[in-house]
Amino acid sequence: MAWDEWEQLKTEAGERQSAQMQLNQLDPGDGSPGTAGGRSSYGDLKVANASLTKISKSAHSLYNALWDKARVSVPSSDSAASDLSKQGFALGAGLQHVSNRWEEQLRSLMDACAQITNHLQVTKKIHAGDDNFIVRQMSSIDTLDAGFDERVGQPGEKNRIYGEKKDEKKKDE
């Protein structure tokens, strides 16, 4: 491709594109890039704890199955590879290579399963803590709000949200 042709193609491409570049987002059609009605174009991630638990249990079950069943062939393959090599067969080195790769891949898969399980358990704990924090904050706001709300009691009566007033004379005695 000649340099002049390259420059011409760049110019044509620049003319076809709009003045605004958009990356990793969909034009919502309202003229604003990446926002639809004030909301993020990426949406909200919602995952129930039950879903996290199912995924975590599946990853843990796969880890256990790999530990119990997939590792069984490794010692016997290593032994067979050693015997074949001692007898002068080139197949022994090939079998040992396959056994080593199998063990590497198996360890990698088992590590991934363990990371998934651990990550989801930590995620559940973190979100449970966040939810508890939000509930505590919201309940304290409700209590404070009720203290300023005239509808809590009849006009002229004390607001029951503050409880009964302690008798100050009893404190002094």
Side-chain angles (χ1 to χ4, degrees), residues 158 164-173:
K158 293 184 178 180
E164 295 298 319
K165 187 174 182 179
K166 294 181 181 177
D167 192 11
E168 292 181 23
K169 290 181 184 179
K170 289 182 182 178
K171 275 186 178 179
D172 295 336
E173 294 175 1

Side-chain angles (χ1 to χ4, degrees), residues 12 15 22 63 83-84 89-90 102 116 129 132 148 158:
E12 289 173 6
E15 290 171 358
Q22 295 180 352
Y63 178 89
D83 287 345
L84 287 170
F89 289 101
W102 175 262
I116 289 168
N132 289 335
F148 290 104
K158 293 184 178 180

